[in-house]
Amino acid sequence: MEKIITDDGSVTFRNLDVDECYHTHSGAVEEAYGKHAKPSLVDELSKKQNKIVIFDVCFGLGYNSAAAIDIIKKTNPNCSIIIYGFENDQIILDKIYEVDPKFESYNLIKKAAKSHFVQEGTITLKIVLGDAKETIKKIEELADAVFFDPFSPKKSPYMWETDFFNTIAEKMKKGRVLTTYSCARVVRDNLKSAGFEVKNGPVIGRRSPSTIAIKI
């Protein structure tokens, strides 16, 4: 792992085996809020319901989950938040102890990285180790939002196949949002094949937009 300081001052890492960074160079924290937490509309959902279930696929440093917790708690402090963080690499989880991003909830992420489970107040966070394509099938709850953040389709095509998107769709509530940074044609085609409506997401850190996929 190579440590990298992004343009907003937050830390990410480059996985040297894959030769890709976990976040955009323009800002790791900025990306977590701008491409995932806010476009997922979890804060808006928390105005209507008192329980939010999030699937964070390829949990990494946990920035996406931390951003979601922060914006939900600012909108509805009493909202129950349940997060399943799917990750297959303990090495990146260990790196959580080496960073201190500006999330109010990041201490919860650090606790979860150690024990793989934390429950404090209205927040429950469980890190599920293993192949997400298989472990996600064991989760009984349906997601209100999915943060989909694997390495790129070029480097990790296995994670972007239609069969996985089919499984995720089955585990989501109707009308809920999947967010991802990729706008690759194959990704959007596979999402559509799995029954999602696909839209352009925010443009952050690159010329092309991210992707918002709505469970039909």
Side-chain angles (χ1 to χ4, degrees):
M1 295 282 185
E2 176 189 1
K3 184 177 181 180
I4 293 175
I5 309 297
T6 65
D7 291 348
D8 69 359
S10 55
V11 174
T12 192
F13 291 89
R14 175 180 292 276
N15 185 306
L16 298 179
D17 291 334
V18 181
D19 192 28
E20 282 193 356
C21 289
Y22 288 88
H23 301 90
T24 177
H25 283 266
S26 70
V29 168
E30 175 191 48
E31 182 176 40
Y33 280 115
K35 289 185 180 178
H36 294 284
K38 292 179 180 178
S40 72
L41 303 179
V42 289
D43 55 339
E44 293 300 315
L45 280 176
S46 72
K47 296 177 182 178
K48 306 172 185 177
Q49 59 191 61
N50 285 318
K51 177 183 174 182
I52 304 290
V53 178
I54 297 171
F55 289 177
D56 191 343
V57 180
C58 298
F59 186 78
L61 295 172
Y63 288 6
N64 298 334
S65 288
I69 293 170
D70 283 0
I71 66 171
I72 292 171
K73 283 304 180 184
K74 287 178 181 177
T75 304
N76 181 358
N78 298 316
C79 184
S80 174
I81 305 170
I82 300 173
I83 299 176
Y84 294 91
F86 299 91
E87 181 56 61
N88 70 347
D89 187 0
Q90 183 62 46
I91 294 175
I92 190 60
L93 294 177
D94 291 341
K95 292 295 181 183
I96 288 173
Y97 309 120
E98 299 180 19
V99 299
D100 192 23
K102 294 180 179 179
F103 298 110
E104 293 181 8
S105 60
Y106 203 68
N107 281 338
L108 290 172
I109 305 298
K110 290 187 175 184
K111 290 178 182 179
K114 182 177 182 180
S115 64
H116 295 169
F117 179 83
V118 64
Q119 187 173 32
E120 288 190 8
T122 59
I123 302 171
T124 302
L125 172 55
K126 181 177 182 180
I127 295 178
V128 185
L129 282 176
D131 182 350
K133 293 181 79 169
E134 298 302 322
T135 57
I136 199 170
K137 297 175 183 177
K138 301 176 183 179
I139 307 301
E140 295 183 359
E141 294 185 273
L142 296 180
D144 291 293
V146 175
F147 305 148
F148 195 77
D149 211 9
F151 291 118
S152 71
K154 181 178 180 180
K155 295 297 180 75
S156 187
Y158 169 78
M159 293 294 290
W160 301 85
E161 294 173 347
T162 303
D163 69 322
F164 192 20
F165 288 137
N166 278 326
T167 300
I168 291 173
E170 292 173 359
K171 295 291 184 177
M172 293 179 67
K173 297 176 184 176
K174 186 177 180 180
R176 300 304 194 252
V177 173
L178 175 151
T179 58
T180 185
Y181 65 89
S182 178
C183 68
R185 176 67 178 272
V186 65
V187 170
R188 292 189 168 190
D189 285 347
N190 290 349
L191 282 165
K192 291 175 183 177
S193 295
F196 287 92
E197 177 186 356
V198 175
K199 298 181 179 181
N200 285 340
V203 178
I204 296 174
R206 60 179 69 191
R207 295 180 180 177
S208 55
S210 56
T211 295
I212 293 171
I214 304 167
K215 165 71 179 294
I216 299 174

